[in-house]
Amino acid sequence: MDRIFPRLTVSLSKLRGNASEIVTRCAAKGIDVCGVIKGCTGIPQVAQAMVDAGVKQLGSSRLEQIVRCRRAGVPGPYALIRIPGLSEVPDVVRWCDMSLHSERAVLDALEAECARQDKSHRVIVMVDLGDIREGFWDQDEMVEVCVHVERDLPHLDLAGIGVNLGCVGSVQPTPEKMNDLLALRDRVEAAIGRKLDIVSGGATSSFTLVHWDTMPQGINHLRIGENILLGKDLQLEWGIEDMNYLAMDTFTLTAEVVEVKTKPSYPQGKLCMDAFGHKPVYTDYGIQRRAILALGKADVGDEKALLPREAGITVWGASSDHCILDVTHCGREIKVGDTVDFSLAYSNLVYVTAREDVNVVCVDDCEVKN
Ligand SMILES: *Cc1c(COP(=O)(O)O)cnc(C)c1O
């Protein structure tokens, strides 16, 4: 059975445009870009658009997405950007050219597996500079592990070091944090007696330093996903208005209306709990024109993050498979069978692309971005 809606339309030309704006700006500062495809579940055409725009590698946190793109014929090299588990090591060697690391035991297992498969593999060792996710906290230990890779693990090529910021700990990338990374690079280089290839300064949030021209010289690699895929976090959440060289309407989610009725906005009766076991607090907006879409939290995660393309439409709420819109103030009269278009937030994109029953359509138009 092939479903028509929900439909996700992917503008490959806009994605290529975003990627090339970012690649060009980074290149001007001596920075290579790893294009991160995990936000769209590794759609191969999206990966190819990034390659066409000049990214140096493709990165994903998930091996399956790297396998998916390789099988679709998208050339790498591929970097696994979630530190791998011991159970994943054979596939990391088989499918990836490079990976990020923070555990000596995994690096040792990777060496043994490389020997078994007669392959070499590049590694980036991660430091934690305060975001409290992955990476060495103890920098003496990190230098020791780098020396161990260099001296004792012949199948591994210590390509460089890296950091992640602005994720779970929401720590802002700053020139100071980047200088801390460069100081650590100097220590590692002194300990191994050669230069490192890669100093990887972070993700989309670190692109701000490129945009503002405050990135310290020496950071030569960023791993960028969201800013290519959606261009939204820095423009809308950070409020960086002069980043409007990036399109935010790269992906369009189209949903079908299955009910339109005039109803109260406040539930009637004794309130207990909703479908997810929560006890929401409702606001009484009076009588509304309410439209139900044939999609829900199972398709988009947090429905409140959806961005309706049309003025006068707001998302009221959702359960797993129903999403309710307030269309009271919409300029057109919405009827059953009509469709409604949305731009997506990153979390919406992660959910919707992971579903097998959403109809994904890639278009390669050359229209000017707006
Ligand atoms: C997800 C991720 C990225 C890319 O993050 P964006 O915010 O989408 O640019 C980069 N590095 C690592 C380690 C990641 O997990």
Side-chain angles (χ1 to χ4, degrees):
M1 190 194 93
D2 286 331
R3 300 198 60 186
I4 303 170
F5 299 114
R7 180 177 64 217
L8 182 71
T9 309
V10 186
S11 169
L12 298 176
S13 46
K14 285 178 185 172
L15 284 166
R16 246 188 339 263
N18 280 1
S20 90
E21 292 284 353
I22 289 170
V23 165
T24 308
R25 282 172 170 77
C26 286
K29 311 280 178 225
I31 295 171
D32 287 335
V33 175
C34 171
V36 176
I37 56 175
K38 70 185 187 207
C40 67
T41 319
I43 295 173
Q45 293 94 325
V46 174
Q48 184 65 51
M50 292 187 186
V51 170
D52 293 344
V55 302
K56 258 278 174 345
Q57 306 99 21
L58 291 167
S60 180
S61 49
R62 294 183 185 255
L63 282 162
E64 310 78 60
Q65 296 172 10
I66 291 173
V67 174
R68 179 182 182 190
C69 286
R70 274 212 197 274
R71 289 207 165 123
V74 183
Y78 285 92
L80 182 70
I81 62 168
R82 181 175 66 197
I83 48 171
L86 284 170
S87 68
E88 295 176 305
V89 163
D91 283 325
V92 175
V93 173
R94 193 165 298 123
W95 294 101
C96 307
D97 305 285
M98 185 162 89
S99 48
L100 311 188
H101 292 273
S102 64
E103 290 287 353
R104 185 179 179 126
V106 177
L107 288 160
D108 287 340
L110 199 62
E111 167 65 25
E113 185 61 34
C114 281
R116 212 166 290 139
Q117 293 188 28
D118 191 23
K119 279 184 140 181
S120 61
H121 187 89
R122 306 187 84 200
V123 298
I124 292 182
V125 177
M126 299 295 283
V127 62
D128 187 337
L129 294 178
D131 204 57
I132 56 172
R133 201 177 74 179
E134 78 275 41
F136 283 92
W137 191 257
D138 179 338
Q139 298 189 10
D140 296 336
E141 185 192 358
M142 172 157 164
V143 174
E144 261 173 48
V145 167
C146 288
V147 170
H148 174 58
V149 172
E150 182 76 0
R151 303 247 164 95
D152 311 329
L153 309 183
H155 293 81
L156 303 191
D157 168 22
L158 177 65
I161 62 171
V163 69
N164 200 64
L165 293 163
C167 279
V168 296
S170 63
V171 170
Q172 183 174 351
T174 55
E176 293 71 43
K177 291 287 182 197
M178 295 300 121
N179 284 325
D180 292 346
L181 183 63
L182 291 167
L184 183 57
R185 172 204 61 184
D186 293 344
R187 283 191 61 191
V188 172
E189 288 183 347
I192 63 173
R194 67 167 175 91
K195 296 275 182 208
L196 292 172
D197 247 19
I198 295 177
V199 186
S200 190
T204 287
S205 55
S206 294
F207 180 76
T208 52
L209 304 191
V210 175
H211 177 77
W212 291 323
D213 199 11
T214 54
M215 182 64 92
Q217 183 147 30
I219 304 295
N220 62 13
H221 187 265
L222 292 177
R223 312 170 305 269
I224 297 183
E226 195 279 340
N227 216 30
I228 296 175
L229 296 172
L230 296 169
K232 174 183 166 293
D233 283 4
L234 300 183
Q235 291 189 78
L236 295 190
E237 316 303 333
W238 291 52
I240 305 177
E241 288 172 10
D242 63 348
M243 207 178 271
N244 55 7
Y245 48 82
L246 299 179
M248 294 189 280
D249 57 353
T250 44
F251 292 85
T252 306
L253 180 64
T254 304
E256 183 174 4
V257 174
V258 292
E259 179 187 300
V260 189
K261 297 204 185 301
T262 300
K263 294 188 189 183
S265 56
Y266 197 85
Q268 314 257 301
K270 182 171 181 289
L271 303 188
C272 53
M273 57 178 66
D274 74 6
F276 284 83
H278 301 129
K279 293 186 170 177
V281 178
Y282 300 92
T283 307
D284 190 351
Y285 296 105
I287 298 291
Q288 288 177 330
R289 195 73 183 152
R290 289 160 69 93
I292 300 181
L293 299 177
L295 58 70
K297 288 184 193 288
D299 306 273
V300 298
D302 175 14
E303 74 282 359
K304 293 280 167 79
L306 290 169
L307 298 162
R309 289 269 176 84
E310 263 176 278
I313 294 181
T314 55
V315 177
W316 184 85
S319 53
S320 321
D321 306 302
H322 297 73
C323 179
I324 297 154
L325 306 179
D326 173 7
V327 297
T328 314
H329 304 291
C330 182
R332 70 175 160 136
E333 192 200 331
I334 290 186
K335 306 179 300 299
V336 165
D338 286 353
T339 58
V340 178
D341 286 350
F342 299 90
S343 290
L344 303 177
Y346 189 80
S347 64
N348 301 141
L349 186 63
V350 167
Y351 277 86
V352 82
T353 53
R355 285 197 71 93
E356 308 224 315
D357 54 2
V358 170
N359 175 17
V360 177
V361 180
C362 294
V363 294
D364 204 346
D365 42 13
C366 291
E367 49 181 291
V368 181
K369 72 174 192 245
N370 47 34

